[in-house]
Structure formats: C-alpha cells, structure tokens
Amino acid sequence: MRIAVVGSGALGLYYGALLQRAGNEVTFLLRRDYEAVSASGLTVRSINGDFKLDKVSAALRPEEIGETELVLVGLKTFANDSYQELIAPLVGDKTYILTLQNGLGNEELLAELFGSYRILGGVAFLCANRGEPGTVHHLGAGRIELGCFADAPESLLTEVAVMFRAAGVDCRQVRDLKSARWQKLVWNIPFNGLCTLLNAPVDRLLTNAATRSLVRDIMLEVIAAANAQGLQEPIPAEFAEKMLVFSDGMGPYRPSMLIDREEQRPLELDAIFARAVAAGAKSGVQLDKTSMLHSLLQFVSAEC
Ligand SMILES: NC(=O)C1=CN([C@@H]2O[C@H](COP(=O)(O)OP(=O)(O)OC[C@H]3O[C@@H](n4cnc5c(N)ncnc54)[C@H](OP(=O)(O)O)[C@@H]3O)[C@@H](O)[C@H]2O)C=CC1
Ligand SMILES: CC(C)(CO)C(=O)C(=O)O
C-alpha cells in the first residue's frame, strides 16, 4: 500500500517504520527530523529488536507526496487545525485516512473535512518516545484496535488490519470504535492527567496507595460516562482493574503529555479532557474528578 504518515513523531515514525519494513511504500511528512532522516535514514530502538531503514522517503510539504492510498495521522491533537493544510494534498478518490491519535473528536473533524466514508480510527496501546532526530524509541506494548468511523467500508478496515498484522503489529478490528476510544480514555485521563500534574511516571502513581486508589476512582468515573454514550459494547467496571494491571507492567513510563509539559509544548487537553467532560455532561454524567484534572492542567499549560 502507498502510505503517507502525517505527524511523524513517536507514534507515526514507529508504525510507519514497521509498515515500510514489511514492504509498503511509506512516505513520511517530516519537520524536525527531515534532515536527519533524509541523510541517514530512520533508526528504531525497540524492545522487540532494533532495526534501521537506510532509505526513507521524506517530504517537507504534503504537495511533494501527492495522492496516496492511506494517510496515517499521528499528529498531536493540538495540531488538528492543520488537518486541511497537511492532508488535503494527499487525498484523491481512493484515499483513506486512519487516525491513531488519542482522545475524542478526531474522526469527526476528519469526516467533516474529507468525507466520513474514508475515515478509519484506531487506538494505540503503544509506549513510544522520540529520540535524537532520526531515532524513535519503542519502550513497550504496541497493540492497536481499529474501527470504521460511520460509513467507511468494513472491507477496507480488514485490508488495513491485515497490513498492520503483516508488519508485526498486534492489530484487532473492533465493531464499536466509540467504545474503543472511551476505553483508551480510561487510561489516558487518569495517567496523562496525574503524571503530568505530579511530574511522576506511571509506576510511582501505582506504588503509592493513595494515588493508585485515585487512578481507580477516575477510571470508574470515565467508565460511567462512557456507558452513558449508547455504546454497542459497554465497558464493564472490571475494566478499571484490567487497566491497572496493564499499567503495572509499564514501569517508569512517562506519558506523552508529561513529556509535552517538560518540553513546554501545548497539551492535548481538548481531545482528552474537555471533550470527555462535555460528552459526559450532555448525557447526564458529571465527570467531577476529570473536570478538576482539566482545570489544573489548563493552569499548568498556561504557565508553559
Ligand atoms: N507516543 C505514544 O506512544 C502514543 C501516542 N498516542 C497519541 O498519538 C498522537 C501522536 O503522539 P506522539 O507520536 O507521541 O506525538 P509526537 O509529538 O511525538 O509527534 C507528533 C508529530 O506531529 C508533527 N507535526 C505537528 N504539526 C505539524 C505540522 N504542521 N507539519 C508537520 N508535522 C507536524 C510533529 O512534528 P515535529 O517533528 O516537527 O515535532 C511530530 O513529529 C497523540 O494524539 C498521542 O496522544 C497514542 C498512543 C501512544
Ligand atoms: C496508554 C499509552 C501509554 C499508550 O499505551 C498512551 O496513550 C500515552 O502515553 O499517551
């Protein structure tokens, strides 16, 4: 498949590299890493084994890439106002768009701009960070769950899922993308929020009894809001315990939002916090703890 990666940071570089290694024709739209990747290729340092792609197709502007079959979106959600500028030049009649970004509202905005029939969404249970230009670090996990947004064809979803599996990614197709998105928020809201506010990695929150209990309470609050959204596949309360156990295996992982704070970038507050709080309120569930995290993060974000 011909693939363009828009948002070639930790997530985009990692999955894009796996897809290229499996034989797909991948072009990365690059900014910070353009010179390093053009000159020396892309290095993946991975818990599954390091590898290097010596020849990588790199572009600085989407117009250099032109129409492609699949656009893989790995932008931070605070850059979603660049969708039109970065993605429109890549879209033709037979182009599909897959966003693996976190949070709510990404598929909706893509559908508004480019048509719902071509939009796929997914959640990535990946722990990846950027290294020096031209290097990405895969620290853990990597499973993705893909679903169709609205009327995108199921056959396309299957084709994309098969392609990810052939690249070595544990990729599952889900019937209810909305449920998958909320399941991911059950992790992102407590951990992105608390790790960023407390400047602490995941394991420190989990080994302290008070913060572990707070994480669980926030997870249950998010599950209650999720289940008020009319999901085809409601989220059981036990999912919180499952996520705690999954997180116990992460060790001293620093969520991407904590790194954004450290590096004084904007935070993904709208997609991960504001939209969840608004969706909860609209369906009669007040997300009080999430709302408090959001307010504190807005304070922190304004200080950056
Ligand atoms: N990292 C992870 O393990 C996971 C991340 N996610 C989600 O995936 C998304 C991406 O996260 P992550 O990869 O960590 O983020 P990064 O900050 O590492 O990557 C974002 C990329 O978008 C690029 N970008 C932003 N604006 C533009 C622009 N105008 N033109 C060209 N490139 C642009 C950045 O460019 P530049 O290179 O110049 O900085 C950067 O390479 C987020 O929604 C995150 O929450 C989900 C699961 C796991
Ligand atoms: C849950 C996790 C760690 C990826 O699995 C993530 O989404 C993040 O760091 O933002």
Side-chain angles (χ1 to χ4, degrees):
M1 205 179 256
R2 272 187 305 114
I3 302 162
V5 178
V6 172
S8 307
L11 175 141
L13 288 173
Y14 175 65
Y15 288 119
L18 291 180
L19 292 170
Q20 174 172 331
R21 188 177 62 165
N24 297 285
E25 206 182 299
V26 181
T27 301
F28 295 86
L29 182 69
L30 291 157
R31 226 173 33 176
R32 188 202 77 164
D33 289 15
Y34 178 77
E35 280 174 20
V37 169
S38 305
S40 318
L42 174 58
T43 300
V44 179
R45 302 233 176 269
S46 169
I47 48 153
N48 298 333
D50 299 348
F51 68 95
K52 177 154 193 259
L53 301 173
D54 292 322
K55 275 206 169 151
V56 171
S57 169
L60 269 174
R61 296 170 55 250
E63 289 77 9
E64 295 164 31
I65 306 174
E67 282 185 22
T68 191
E69 287 171 89
L70 181 72
V71 181
L72 174 60
V73 185
L75 294 166
K76 279 276 165 56
T77 52
F78 52 72
N80 283 0
D81 55 1
S82 307
Y83 275 167
Q84 175 68 28
E85 174 199 341
L86 300 180
I87 298 175
L90 308 169
V91 175
D93 290 346
K94 295 204 170 119
T95 305
Y96 293 93
I97 303 172
L98 167 64
T99 168
L100 292 178
Q101 298 165 285
N102 272 327
L104 301 176
N106 308 312
E107 288 91 0
E108 286 78 358
L109 180 54
L110 287 167
E112 218 173 274
L113 295 170
F114 305 110
S116 58
Y117 60 91
R118 58 167 106 239
I119 308 301
L120 302 178
V123 291
F125 292 89
L126 170 74
C127 299
N129 292 160
R130 306 178 79 176
E132 63 279 14
T135 299
V136 61
H137 296 272
H138 170 220
L139 310 169
R143 172 165 62 85
I144 58 179
E145 294 182 357
L146 299 183
C148 289
F149 179 72
D151 47 352
E154 199 67 36
S155 56
L156 170 78
L157 185 71
T158 303
E159 194 183 337
V160 172
V162 166
M163 176 187 74
F164 272 105
R165 279 183 217 123
V169 179
D170 175 5
C171 177
R172 305 179 193 174
Q173 284 171 251
V174 295
R175 272 193 310 128
D176 189 355
L177 177 60
K178 202 171 182 184
S179 179
R181 284 236 159 267
W182 277 92
Q183 287 179 32
K184 189 70 200 294
L185 287 176
V186 171
W187 194 93
N188 285 125
I189 289 177
F191 282 107
N192 288 30
L194 292 171
C195 290
T196 304
L197 288 167
L198 300 175
N199 187 24
V202 166
D203 58 348
R204 284 196 47 217
L205 295 189
L206 290 171
T207 49
N208 177 292
T211 43
R212 188 177 182 98
S213 163
L214 181 57
V215 166
R216 184 184 290 106
D217 289 349
I218 298 169
M219 285 180 169
L220 291 172
E221 178 180 272
V222 177
I223 291 172
N227 289 336
Q229 307 303 311
L231 303 179
Q232 289 172 45
E233 293 175 2
I235 308 175
E238 302 76 63
F239 186 72
E241 213 46 54
K242 203 172 139 192
M243 284 312 242
L244 285 168
V245 172
F246 164 73
S247 312
D248 281 329
M250 281 184 174
Y253 179 68
R254 301 171 80 74
S256 46
M257 189 171 282
L258 171 55
I259 296 172
D260 284 336
R261 180 183 180 189
E262 283 168 355
E263 297 183 2
Q264 306 207 323
R265 279 192 294 264
L267 308 180
E268 294 185 288
L269 299 188
D270 184 57
I272 295 178
F273 291 90
R275 284 176 189 270
V277 169
K282 206 169 160 198
S283 47
V285 178
Q286 298 305 320
L287 289 159
D288 292 334
K289 295 183 176 65
T290 304
S291 190
M292 183 190 278
L293 288 177
H294 184 215
S295 301
L296 296 172
L297 288 162
Q298 283 178 298
F299 175 85
V300 158
S301 181
E303 297 284 292
C304 283

